[in-house]
Amino acid sequence: MKPETEAKIRAAIEAERARSGYPPAAAGRFAEFGQEPLPVDEYLDPKRYELELERVFRRAWLPVARSSELGEAGAFATVDVARDPLAVVRGEDGALLAFHNVCRHRAAQVLREESGVVEALVCPYHGFRYGLDGRLRSCTDPDSFPAAFDPAAVRLPPVKLDEWGGWAWITLDGDAPPLVEFLGELTDELANWDFAEAVLVARETHEVEFGWKVGVEAFLEPYHLPSIHAGSAHPLLDFRASAMDWFGPHSRMATAFRAPNAYAPDGPMGREAAELGVEGFARLNQVQRTTNMSYLVFPATVFSLLPNHFTVFRMLPEGIDRTRFVYELYAAPSASERAGEFYASLKPRYARLLEEDFENLPWIQRGVRDSATTGVPLSHHERRIRHFRAEVRKWVGGG
Ligand code: FES
Ligand SMILES: [Fe+2]
């Protein structure tokens, strides 16, 4: 993170602490998105939903797998993006490739597990056998096909893949800009957390009954901390001291820890880690050590970063009111023999936090269907949602 960005965030947190009321200037760069209530039909319209799949989820870069978990040749992970079954596979040459995970014969899904290791990609239906490069190697009785069917030309359609931060990212848009261009300033802002070396502590996949925007928006604002997270995050974070900004389609929120700083070596979270010999991420600056830095990587990935661990929430739409929600918890690497105890101590805390949101959000999805509800007003604390929705509208509109 650039020193001037850090200084700007610190000044913005102080300004938030001093703010009262809703002076237009307080909205900063968010002022351009206006003050109108947000329409609820955007959560419900089936045509709009199709456009979101087509123009948002098929065009953006999405992190779909951890590169380090696909270490050996033949290691794979599968993921569905906008109804396309995809697979990320480590090739013989060590490079990661992505394909449509659908057999070129009669469209059976080839790999059916979430992850694993294979020697070749063998379709279970009639046994078409593809190499790790996605090219057809053999099939039963090839001469039984008409002459126009050329086995040598058959391959699983490739998908654009790149790697950053220890993740494999894909996009279904062959004309998409390079990943680093899509991420823009994020690559610099997130660099201090050593993503690639972080230790995976927990991963859970949930099928949840709320739409992807309802889900994302719950991670864009700290206004629900005193109510939904009254006994979990609220005592640690000062929701009024949140600096927010956006860059391109992505946005950032830095929410100050309450004093005494929970993560300082004498704070409850810092002390626990220190006692167990876990030092946290070494290269963080002052602002990164004293706030919860939360980033939306457009459209639906949230990185929530703390001095010695971070969480990643990835949402993929499965219907207007259904979402596949992947939660991952990572911690700073540590040589301490007792690091495992620290990692284990994080798990129940996040299980609780997630449960609090998962209990709440299906009720929002039900609420927006109410015929008397057409728009929802937003407080200053929820200004990031305006940028997010404006961005979705822009992508949906083809802009
Ligand atoms: S569908 Fe794959 S071999 Fe027939
Ligand atoms: Fe929440």
Side-chain angles (χ1 to χ4, degrees):
M1 175 179 283
K2 294 183 195 76
E4 53 272 30
T5 307
E6 187 193 356
K8 233 163 78 182
I9 295 172
R10 291 174 73 161
I13 288 175
E14 287 321 309
E16 286 303 316
R17 284 205 169 104
R19 181 194 58 82
S20 66
Y22 195 147
R29 297 177 65 219
F30 291 88
E32 73 173 74
F33 305 112
Q35 302 188 3
E36 292 302 304
L38 291 183
V40 296
D41 62 341
E42 292 180 355
Y43 295 113
L44 302 168
D45 179 5
K47 279 198 214 99
R48 190 172 192 93
Y49 175 74
E50 290 304 319
L51 288 172
E52 287 173 355
L53 294 188
E54 195 56 40
R55 297 183 180 170
V56 178
F57 284 89
R58 299 180 71 88
R59 282 180 51 212
W61 282 96
L62 304 167
V64 293
R66 246 343 237 178
S67 308
S68 59
E69 288 175 34
L70 306 177
E72 56 187 303
F76 71 86
T78 57
V79 62
D80 283 16
V81 173
R83 298 199 194 97
D84 283 4
L86 308 178
V88 177
V89 181
R90 180 74 66 185
E92 309 278 5
D93 61 355
L96 279 179
L97 295 171
F99 315 108
H100 287 262
N101 180 22
V102 174
C103 183
R104 303 336 284 162
H105 177 220
R106 275 172 49 211
Q109 210 166 308
V110 179
L111 297 168
R112 299 178 180 188
E113 306 290 326
E114 271 190 15
S115 60
V117 184
V118 288
E119 269 173 32
L121 312 178
V122 183
C123 177
Y125 202 174
H126 311 92
F128 273 39
R129 189 180 177 89
Y130 302 87
L132 299 179
D133 59 358
R135 294 185 184 281
L136 185 64
R137 289 280 163 74
S138 63
C139 61
T140 305
D141 199 2
D143 298 341
S144 62
F145 282 90
F149 178 85
D150 174 11
V154 173
R155 63 182 301 194
L156 299 175
V159 170
K160 215 164 158 172
L161 177 146
D162 203 349
E163 292 175 73
W164 182 82
W167 274 275
W169 303 65
I170 63 95
T171 174
L172 287 165
D173 178 2
D175 298 324
L179 173 60
V180 288
E181 202 173 297
F182 171 77
L183 293 173
E185 292 175 42
L186 280 176
T187 57
D188 171 56
E189 292 227 358
L190 298 173
N192 290 1
W193 269 275
D194 306 310
F195 278 170
E197 283 80 46
V199 179
L200 177 71
V201 174
R203 172 182 291 136
E204 289 171 19
T205 301
H206 297 263
E207 305 292 332
V208 292
E209 294 194 354
F210 47 83
W212 73 277
K213 294 195 296 300
V214 165
V216 168
E217 288 168 7
F219 290 88
L220 295 181
E221 49 95 348
Y223 190 48
H224 69 289
L225 295 188
S227 39
I228 293 294
H229 303 303
S232 52
H234 181 52
L236 300 175
L237 301 175
D238 181 359
F239 79 99
R240 291 174 182 276
S242 272
M244 302 184 192
D245 206 349
W246 53 272
F247 18 88
H250 318 298
S251 65
R252 178 213 314 120
M253 169 167 77
T255 306
F257 298 145
R258 287 186 189 284
N261 176 355
Y263 287 88
D266 59 346
M269 312 284 280
R271 192 185 316 127
E272 190 182 4
E275 277 167 13
L276 297 171
V278 175
E279 290 180 346
F281 295 101
R283 295 186 294 127
L284 304 188
N285 63 29
Q286 167 72 8
V287 100
Q288 292 167 331
R289 278 185 274 114
T290 55
T291 65
N292 172 201
M293 304 282 293
S294 186
Y295 289 85
L296 172 69
V297 182
F298 189 81
T301 301
V302 174
F303 289 93
S304 178
L305 309 158
L306 292 146
N308 54 29
H309 67 277
F310 62 89
T311 49
V312 185
F313 306 103
R314 292 184 281 139
M315 288 161 262
L316 286 169
E318 296 210 322
I320 287 176
D321 48 13
R322 280 186 309 119
T323 300
R324 187 177 177 82
F325 189 108
V326 183
Y327 145 69
E328 291 168 323
L329 170 61
Y330 293 88
S334 171
S336 164
E337 274 176 19
R338 301 186 67 191
E341 287 172 58
F342 171 69
Y343 300 156
S345 75
L346 293 172
K347 279 200 229 182
R349 206 172 308 141
Y350 281 96
R352 173 173 176 189
L353 206 78
L354 262 194
E355 222 174 270
E356 290 167 346
D357 284 316
F358 285 175
E359 208 288 310
N360 175 48
L361 296 175
W363 296 98
I364 317 312
Q365 191 65 43
R366 288 166 62 97
V368 296
R369 288 196 289 255
D370 170 42
S371 65
T373 303
T374 53
V376 293
L378 298 181
S379 70
H380 176 67
H381 303 288
E382 298 161 291
R383 58 199 184 278
R384 255 173 109 209
I385 295 177
R386 293 195 185 280
H387 163 260
F388 166 64
R389 290 282 281 278
E391 199 61 37
V392 175
R393 263 176 236 132
K394 196 158 90 186
W395 285 56
V396 161

